[in-house]
Amino acid sequence: MPDHSDRRDVTAVSLLGSFALRRGGEMFALPLGTQRLVAFLALQQGSVKRVYVAGMLWTRYSQDAANANLRSALWRLNRLPFAVAHTSSAHLSMAPGIVVDYRETMGIARRIRQDPPVWGPQELEAVMLAGDLLPDWYDDWVVIERETFRQARLHALETVCDALIGYGRYAEAIEVGL
């Protein structure tokens, strides 16, 4: 996986291992509610309705309170010196150009599972060493996505093991399997 941490113009969201928001080499601290908003948007494939986001993130609140919490999280996010979210009156999405480690690793896992499998040492290392998706978060939407991620990694590593066995590279297959 490419290292984007040294480029000043790249904004990166880390969801693997723990949450982090970086712009170049600088880390930006966010309140938990705003972290949850960024993480939720980073896991989506495109734009989502505001009402859906509010309902998913603040399930135990009334719709009015959930909408207020969403507005508050967006206000905090918009105070950053760069854009993280793209907003409209009805929809939200990640701003263009945001690098998300989860998305990159899922893309690598998909490429590995192609027929024939496509991977090199960097891709294999990215999938093998990727941490769990937000391991200390227990929201339902995170738990479901975490399991999807685990399964994608498992299937990718099985594909690599099968290919290595086919090449007679048994020691490497065992290492990948473990």
Side-chain angles (χ1 to χ4, degrees):
M1 188 170 355
D3 179 15
H4 303 285
S5 61
D6 60 340
R7 292 196 39 218
R8 294 284 172 217
D9 59 336
V10 173
T11 303
V13 174
S14 176
L15 303 177
L16 302 179
S18 62
F19 179 89
L21 174 65
R22 292 182 182 84
R23 174 89 170 171
E26 187 177 354
M27 178 108 76
F28 289 83
L30 298 174
L32 183 58
T34 308
Q35 287 180 23
R36 291 174 70 238
L37 172 60
V38 171
F40 187 82
L41 293 177
L43 292 173
Q44 305 306 306
Q45 294 301 318
S47 70
V48 288
K49 290 189 174 200
R50 282 176 177 254
V51 67
Y52 175 71
V53 175
M56 290 297 291
L57 294 180
W58 292 281
T59 58
R60 294 192 172 114
Y61 292 83
S62 70
Q63 190 64 53
D64 287 341
N67 288 336
N69 286 338
L70 176 59
R71 285 190 302 274
S72 177
L74 285 168
W75 178 80
R76 286 181 177 91
L77 195 58
N78 287 331
R79 295 182 70 204
L80 293 172
F82 51 90
V84 176
H86 176 74
T87 62
S88 73
S89 61
H91 292 86
L92 301 171
S93 65
M94 291 298 293
I98 303 279
V99 175
V100 181
D101 60 355
Y102 167 81
R103 289 181 184 179
E104 288 188 337
T105 305
M106 281 294 276
I108 292 168
R110 284 188 200 100
R111 284 193 301 278
I112 288 174
R113 292 176 52 205
Q114 291 175 355
D115 189 24
V118 179
W119 83 87
Q122 288 180 326
E123 290 85 5
L124 182 56
E125 183 177 341
V127 172
M128 286 177 60
L129 300 179
D132 269 345
L133 174 68
L134 301 169
D136 53 350
W137 292 25
Y138 298 101
D139 301 88
D140 289 342
W141 55 272
V142 174
V143 172
I144 292 166
E145 225 28 75
R146 184 181 306 134
E147 187 56 30
T148 300
F149 182 63
R150 283 182 183 156
Q151 290 298 315
R153 287 177 55 212
L154 176 65
H155 292 303
L157 294 172
E158 285 176 350
T159 300
V160 171
C161 285
D162 288 345
L164 290 171
I165 289 169
Y167 299 141
R169 296 164 57 184
Y170 304 111
E172 291 172 87
I174 290 171
E175 181 183 343
V176 169
L178 293 174

